[in-house]
Amino acid sequence: MAPVVQTRSRRGTEIGPPSVGTYLVLTGEGPMLVVLRDGTDPDTALRRSLERRGHSKFIACQVSPEDVRRAYGTPFQVIADGLTERHPVRVLDFDGRRVFGNLSLRRVGPPVPMEARS
């Protein structure tokens, strides 16, 4: 059963779709789903964030935020709403089995390999 997507805030105002980027990231430890703040350079932000977590090499594939919103509902909304200029990258899901179960690989963008700059 798909989760229910919250369409109103606690104050009763309409919640619009957050402007975010969503990425399926494949690392040596497995896949994860990452959300980036709108206007954030994905190359730089993903590289910095994942290097801090100990991942020097990974492959990133863009995923439609609408697909992620439909699959994750309120948890996606909470993560997207919590992105800030200081913290523009958040991991939504790091359970690879769940990530692959929730998303269709047919709708994932082309793979972009990245590794730490030396």
Side-chain angles (χ1 to χ4, degrees), residues 75-95:
F76 168 78
Q77 189 72 46
V78 169
I79 293 287
D81 289 345
L83 295 172
T84 64
E85 196 169 314
R86 184 167 181 203
H87 300 286
V89 179
R90 299 271 311 270
V91 174
L92 173 60
D93 195 350
F94 52 85
D95 179 335

Side-chain angles (χ1 to χ4, degrees), residues 45-61:
L46 284 173
R47 188 174 282 119
R48 283 182 185 162
S49 179
L50 292 170
E51 281 178 2
R52 278 194 297 262
R53 290 174 172 84
H55 304 289
S56 60
K57 296 179 182 182
F58 59 92
I59 299 169
C61 306

